[in-house]
Amino acid sequence: MNNVKISDGIFPINQFGKMGKIHSVFDRSFNLKVGDRLVNVANYAGYLSSFGIYLPDDLFQAITPYVQQDNLVKIFANGLTLYSRNGIKKITWSEYEVVSLQVKQFQLTTAQRQLLREVLLEANLEQQIGLPLEEKEQIIFQKMRQRKQQTLREWQEIVAYLVGRGKGLTPSGDDILVAYLVMLHVMKDTRAKEVLTALQQPLSTTDISKEYIWYSIKGYVNSLVYQLYVDLEANKEKAVIKKDVQHVMRIGHSSGKDLSYGLLLALDNDEKKERIT
C-alpha cells in the first residue's frame, strides 16, 4: 500500500490553521485555502507539489464525492474532514512520509552544473516554452543571464514583466522565474538576494502561481525538480540526468518546459557568476 506523502514545506499540515475551504478543484487534485496559504491535495503517484500532499487511491477516492469548491475542510495533523452537501467525510492516516523538497542544502560542483546545462541546451527549450521569444523577451532573458549587476529597478522590471505573463494556472513567466530563483539558491548566487528583493512588490498572477513563487523564495521545489538535483549531486550519468529533465518537461502543457528554461537561464555563463561567500 502506498503511504501518504507530505512535502516538508507544509509539515505539519495544520500549521497554517485548523479550518480551511476548497479553493479549486481539478481532475485528480484540489487546493485547500488555509489561512494565507494553499495546500495541494493530489493523487499523482509520481509527482508532489512543493506545497502538496499525495493521497493514495483509496483515500482520494473516498473523499472525491465531497470535494466541491468552497466546501469547508477541517485539518488535523494526520487527516482531513470535509463538509459537503453530500455529507461529512473524515479520513485519517497513521503512516506517512515527509518528503524533503528543500534544495538550498545542495552543493553542485562546476562539472555537475555544466552537465545540467548541456542537457538543457540539447532539449531546444527556446522552441518549446510558453512565451514568444520576441524582442522584449530576448532583452529580459539576456539580463537574467548577465553577470553584470542589475539595479533593483531593473530586477523589479524583470519580475513585473514575467509575473503573470502567459496562459494557464501557472503562467509561463512565473514558471521560468520560479526555476530561475531556485537554481540561484542552489548555486549560492548573489542574484538570488536581488530577485528576492524584487519579489517583495505586489504580484499580479494566479493564486496557485503565487504559492509556487512563495515556496521558491524559501527554496522548495516539486518532487521531479528535486530528484534532478539529487541525481546531479550523486554524479549520476548523463542518461539519468537527461531522463530527469524529460520528466520535468512533461509537467503540464508548457510548465515543465518553462521550469527547465528557468534553470538554463540561471546556468548560462555559470562559470563567471559571482558567488556568495
Side-chain angles (χ1 to χ4, degrees):
M1 175 182 173
N2 290 329
N3 289 337
V4 170
K5 294 181 173 64
I6 305 171
S7 165
D8 59 340
I10 64 167
F11 184 80
I13 64 169
N14 58 351
Q15 65 177 286
F16 307 121
K18 296 180 180 179
M19 288 296 298
K21 70 176 183 178
I22 296 177
H23 171 276
S24 44
V25 181
F26 307 98
D27 184 27
R28 290 171 59 195
S29 70
F30 61 94
N31 290 300
L32 297 175
K33 181 76 170 178
V34 188
D36 294 330
R37 300 265 62 86
L38 292 182
V39 174
N40 178 253
V41 182
N43 181 232
Y44 299 108
Y47 178 87
L48 185 65
S49 163
S50 52
F51 52 97
I53 303 171
Y54 162 74
L55 295 182
D57 292 347
D58 57 338
L59 289 179
F60 194 83
Q61 289 168 8
I63 62 172
T64 297
Y66 306 89
V67 175
Q68 291 91 31
Q69 192 170 8
D70 293 329
N71 285 354
L72 292 176
V73 180
K74 183 177 286 188
I75 298 100
F76 306 94
N78 66 331
L80 303 169
T81 299
L82 289 82
Y83 298 86
S84 165
R85 290 181 179 178
N86 296 328
I88 300 173
K89 180 65 177 180
K90 181 177 182 179
I91 60 167
T92 59
W93 49 82
S94 57
E95 296 184 7
Y96 59 88
E97 176 187 355
V98 178
V99 180
S100 177
L101 297 177
Q102 162 65 258
V103 300
K104 288 185 179 182
Q105 81 278 7
F106 285 107
Q107 300 284 340
L108 300 183
T109 66
T110 299
Q112 290 163 347
R113 296 195 302 269
Q114 287 175 343
L115 172 59
L116 176 57
R117 182 173 182 271
E118 180 182 322
V119 170
L120 291 169
L121 284 170
E122 290 174 0
N124 296 313
L125 293 164
E126 288 192 348
Q127 309 303 317
Q128 303 182 67
I129 63 173
L131 293 181
L133 276 178
E134 297 176 353
E135 183 178 359
K136 181 63 175 179
E137 285 79 15
Q138 294 280 16
I139 292 170
I140 292 290
F141 294 150
Q142 187 55 37
K143 286 184 176 182
M144 292 170 73
R145 292 186 183 100
Q146 287 174 357
R147 177 177 183 243
K148 178 180 77 72
Q149 185 126 0
Q150 309 289 338
T151 64
L152 175 58
R153 183 181 181 87
E154 285 176 310
W155 279 113
Q156 288 173 332
E157 289 174 352
I158 289 169
V159 166
Y161 186 81
L162 287 178
V163 169
R165 189 164 298 274
K167 299 177 181 179
L169 293 166
T170 57
S172 294
D174 298 0
D175 288 327
I176 290 170
L177 189 60
V178 160
Y180 179 77
L181 177 56
V182 164
M183 191 73 237
L184 296 183
H185 283 319
V186 172
M187 293 162 56
K188 313 299 185 288
D189 193 302
T190 55
R191 289 173 295 172
K193 290 182 179 179
E194 297 163 358
V195 176
L196 290 175
T197 302
L199 281 168
Q200 300 309 306
Q201 61 188 303
L203 304 178
S204 180
T205 189
T206 68
D207 289 345
I208 295 171
S209 209
K210 285 178 184 176
E211 204 70 9
Y212 278 109
I213 293 171
W214 193 84
Y215 278 93
S216 73
I217 287 171
K218 297 183 175 298
Y220 289 96
V221 297
N222 67 59
S223 57
L224 297 179
V225 174
Y226 188 86
Q227 187 61 48
L228 171 62
Y229 284 124
V230 168
D231 289 339
L232 280 166
E233 194 174 58
N235 286 315
K236 294 294 181 68
E237 60 188 20
K238 182 177 179 179
V240 174
I241 304 306
K242 188 172 182 177
K243 187 173 182 180
D244 287 342
V245 168
Q246 289 171 345
H247 287 158
V248 172
M249 288 176 64
R250 293 191 191 109
I251 298 171
H253 178 65
S254 70
S255 284
K257 287 99 170 172
D258 299 326
L259 289 169
S260 299
Y261 191 63
L263 298 176
L264 179 59
L265 286 174
L267 287 165
D268 272 350
N269 301 319
D270 174 30
E271 69 277 3
K272 301 177 182 177
K273 293 291 182 285
E274 180 185 357
R275 291 172 62 81
I276 299 170
T277 56

